[in-house]
Amino acid sequence: MSRAESNHHEVIIIGSGPAGLTAAIYTARANLRPLVIEGEPSSTSDQPGGQLMLTTEVENFPGFPEGVMGPDLMMKFREQAARFNTTFITEKVTKVDFSNRPFSVWVRDTKYTAQSIIVSTGAQSIMLGLENEKRFYGHGLSTCATCDGFFFKGQEIAVVGGGDSAIEEATFLTKFASKVTIVHRRETLRASKIMQQRALSNPKIEFKWNSQVTEILGAQKLQGVGLVDTITGQKSQLDVTGLFVAIGHRPNTDLFKGDLEMEDSGYLKTRPGSSYTNINGVFACGDVQDHTYRQAITAAGSGCMAAIDCERWLEAQH
Ligand code: NAP
């Protein structure tokens, strides 16, 4: 087999979170011998396994009544995909060309071609950019209230942000926490009025206006945050055991600008009820096209949809 032939695939899957690996399991079992370009281990946005690699315990993924560690869950996804003849490249895609079929995908200087593409590059939470933020991830610092709220039963915690996400997360977290402080850098919220009212009338929610988190305090686990008043510059400390960062998400779609249709926010557009993008033969699944649910289980479900759409589309081409 020539090099060009060995670099040609029926389907290339870009990204290896729950969506990409579920698409791999399904396409592999359909004998499509998928190539998964899974990302780069050192990166926080393109790491193989996606965002679950940055979490600790996952208690809401069905099938794991005792809970499972995020990285262990992704290892199981990967093993299952490998079992059915999936090939992996542990690097990140540097360029794509979807203007002609077969489609072309580059990993640095090496070109791979495919009849079809499944995009599952995910999204990343926008972080505060603090020095020790990464170290506290899963040890008091979280970006997902639905995933981690349960671990903060009876505790005092803080949420950063003033948009719908922050207010929604804070409101949800009052089910568990004894007190939730919303730290916002201005004194007016960006969130919709109805969400604001809900939070403002919730006795468990307090606000720290005109405040930025400048420091995360604690040794092994988070024990507080340092704040600065954005108007007076005065510093203070908030004693909390949890910090939820809810200042927005960014889909990993830079690679596809100009090729795939996206929302203004960068999320890929898919045809309703399917994984079809604007280019025939290119499918999208998981958080890269979902800013609503953003759960591992919904990403996995949409990965399954993309695999089935892809398989049927390929069959129709032959
Ligand atoms: P967003 O609307 O962009 O709000 C981000 C918030 O984080 C803003 O209040 C912003 O402050 C603050 N922020 C940004 N960077 C910051 C930084 N470095 N330090 C401190 N604060 C920072 O994002 P979102 O809340 O994730 O919402 C995204 C979209 O999804 C919106 O269209 C929203 O309506 C939608 N959404 C809807 C629902 C719902 O309807 N149930 C739920 C969640 C999200 P400033 O206000 O000062 O800019």
Side-chain angles (χ1 to χ4, degrees), residues 10 94 113 122 138 180 217 246 297:
E10 283 290 292
T94 45
T113 56
V180 179
L217 309 166
I297 189 72

Side-chain angles (χ1 to χ4, degrees), residues 116-133:
S116 62
I117 303 281
I118 295 178
V119 176
S120 50
T121 44
Q124 50 186 306
S125 298
I126 301 173
M127 299 304 290
L128 296 166
L130 302 176
E131 195 200 335
N132 51 8
E133 212 166 21

Side-chain angles (χ1 to χ4, degrees), residues 9-275:
H9 296 263
E10 283 290 292
V11 54
I12 291 178
I13 298 171
I14 308 176
S16 60
L21 291 179
T22 302
I25 294 165
Y26 273 76
T27 50
R29 292 190 76 256
N31 265 343
L32 294 175
R33 296 170 176 268
L35 170 69
V36 176
I37 305 180
E38 62 179 342
E40 217 167 54
S42 58
S43 157
T44 46
S45 57
D46 304 299
Q47 74 276 21
Q51 294 176 80
L52 279 190
M53 299 304 281
L54 301 173
T55 62
T56 47
E57 191 145 19
V58 178
E59 289 188 329
N60 56 5
F61 200 87
F64 294 88
E66 313 296 331
V68 57
M69 297 301 275
D72 293 345
L73 178 62
M74 293 324 298
M75 195 49 72
K76 284 182 189 291
F77 267 73
R78 194 180 187 281
E79 277 169 19
Q80 198 170 346
R83 181 179 151 205
F84 298 111
N85 229 341
T86 299
T87 307
F88 290 92
I89 294 179
T90 312
E91 287 192 80
K92 66 181 200 183
V93 171
T94 45
K95 192 171 91 170
V96 298
D97 182 357
F98 296 160
S99 57
N100 293 301
R101 284 211 297 267
F103 303 116
S104 301
V105 171
W106 283 263
V107 173
R108 287 179 283 128
D109 294 335
T110 311
K111 177 176 159 180
Y112 299 87
T113 56
Q115 292 304 113
S116 62
I117 303 281
I118 295 178
V119 176
S120 50
T121 44
Q124 50 186 306
S125 298
I126 301 173
M127 299 304 290
L128 296 166
L130 302 176
E131 195 200 335
N132 51 8
E133 212 166 21
K134 210 170 162 192
R135 185 163 69 75
F136 281 103
Y137 214 107
H139 302 281
L141 184 110
S142 170
T143 53
C144 177
T146 323
C147 319
D148 300 328
F150 188 77
F151 302 119
F152 295 90
K153 262 190 181 162
Q155 300 179 35
E156 296 195 5
I157 60 177
V159 174
V160 193
D164 280 331
S165 293
I167 303 304
E168 189 172 74
E169 303 248 306
T171 307
F172 176 78
L173 286 165
T174 58
K175 287 186 186 182
F176 311 102
S178 55
K179 179 175 154 193
V180 179
T181 304
I182 296 178
V183 179
H184 183 37
R185 62 184 178 184
R186 295 185 296 128
E187 58 187 348
T188 44
L189 294 169
R190 182 179 293 277
S192 53
K193 287 284 176 288
I194 187 161
M195 308 265 282
Q196 290 193 26
Q197 254 133 37
R198 213 169 287 157
L200 288 162
S201 62
N202 187 323
K204 278 189 168 182
I205 295 182
E206 278 186 16
F207 287 87
K208 274 265 177 210
W209 302 109
N210 300 317
S211 299
Q212 273 280 21
V213 175
T214 50
E215 226 183 329
I216 301 173
L217 309 166
Q220 298 301 318
K221 294 196 120 201
L222 189 146
Q223 280 169 338
V225 293
L227 303 179
V228 68
D229 187 301
T230 53
I231 293 173
T232 63
Q234 198 174 353
K235 291 185 175 175
S236 62
Q237 188 176 320
L238 187 63
D239 293 329
V240 286
T241 47
L243 177 69
F244 285 77
V245 179
I247 60 173
H249 287 83
R250 186 180 299 130
N252 299 317
T253 50
D254 286 353
L255 263 182
F256 313 110
K257 279 187 179 142
D259 280 312
L260 296 180
E261 273 180 13
M262 34 185 102
E263 319 265 355
D264 291 343
S265 52
Y267 284 89
L268 295 186
K269 285 188 182 173
T270 47
R271 225 183 284 162
S274 81
S275 62

